[in-house]
Structures are given as C-alpha cells and as structure tokens.
C-alpha cells in the first residue's frame, strides 16, 4: 500500500472520503439495441481513457487502495513515471469521469467513480 495511506492509518488519521459525482445513465448493453450517437460518444470517451497501460495501472491502484483513495504523490513510484506524466494520466481519467479528486492541503487525493466503471461493464454485458 502507499506510504501516505499507511502512515495516515498508522497515525490514526482517517483517509479522505471523496465526493462521488452523479453519473447519468448511459447506455443499454451493446447487444441489446443499436447504440445512438451521443451514448456512443460517451462510452468511447471512457473506453479511450482506459486504452493506455499507465491509466489501466492507475485504475488498478485506485481500485485496490486501502480506504479507496490515494494521494497523487503516492502514485508516482508504483507507476514508474514522472510526477507530470502521472498527473496527465490522472487528468485524462478525471476528464472521462472515471476518477474523482480532492485537494487537501498541498496534496491531491484520487478515487475511482464506481458507477462510471459499472456503466462500462454493463455496456459490454452479454445476455
């Protein structure tokens, strides 16, 4: 687990709880009906954000994080990329609505938006 998360838990300080944005209903499963233009664009944006190995690893780190949130500063080492590169990838994920962030002091904490990931899973569901 990340050092800040571990240090905060060990010190008895609670991890930040990030507000979850509203995720509007998107789409029926692709096999249920023909996808319209707007829903296709919404899905494509989210799937495109996941189409990079670094972003997939970031999603995995966030999904397995103790407490569900991770400080951006703790994502640099496990990803093995520079801080600006990690920040760029987190911004892409945030712009796609897959992660949420909150600035706390000098640090920014990130967490997944489970409803957004569920929409992607549901779109690919096969009856």
């Amino acid at each position: 687990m990340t050092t800040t998360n571990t240090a905060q838990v060990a010190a008895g300080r609670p991890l930040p709880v990030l507000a979850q944005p509203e995720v509007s209903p998107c789409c029926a499963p692709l096999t249920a009906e023909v996808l319209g233009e707007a829903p296709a664009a919404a899905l494509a944006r989210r799937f495109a954000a996941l189409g990079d190995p670094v972003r997939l690893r970031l999603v995995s780190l966030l999904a397995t994080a103790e407490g569900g949130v991770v400080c951006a500063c703790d994502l640099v080492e496990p990803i093995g990329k520079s801080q600006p590169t990690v920040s760029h990838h987190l911004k892409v994920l945030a712009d796609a609505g897959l992660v949420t962030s909150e600035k706390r002091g000098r640090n920014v904490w990130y967490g997944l938006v489970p409803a957004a990931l569920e929409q992607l899973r549901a779109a690919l569901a096969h009856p």
Side-chain angles (χ1 to χ4, degrees):
M1 190 69 263
T2 61
T3 53
T4 300
N5 282 352
T6 305
Q8 282 201 326
V9 171
R13 291 181 297 203
L15 294 169
V17 176
L18 304 182
Q20 291 292 307
E22 289 285 325
V23 178
S24 59
C26 175
C27 317
L30 297 176
T31 58
E33 61 186 50
V34 175
L35 196 59
E37 190 173 327
L43 280 175
R45 184 173 178 208
R46 286 195 171 142
F47 280 120
L50 294 175
D52 181 278
V54 171
R55 291 193 285 271
L56 280 175
R57 291 188 64 218
L58 285 168
V59 167
S60 179
L61 283 165
L62 293 172
T64 59
E66 182 178 329
V69 294
V70 179
C71 178
C73 59
D74 291 329
L75 294 169
V76 174
E77 184 181 328
I79 294 297
K81 302 289 182 188
S82 69
Q83 182 275 323
T85 299
V86 171
S87 291
H88 163 75
H89 288 294
L90 288 168
K91 181 181 181 338
V92 171
L93 291 169
D95 289 347
L98 295 170
V99 301
T100 187
S101 65
E102 182 177 308
K103 186 166 180 146
R104 299 244 171 152
R106 295 171 49 194
N107 297 316
V108 180
W109 291 78
Y110 286 88
L112 287 179
V113 178
L117 292 175
E118 176 58 27
Q119 281 184 348
L120 296 178
R121 188 204 62 76
L124 295 176
H126 188 65

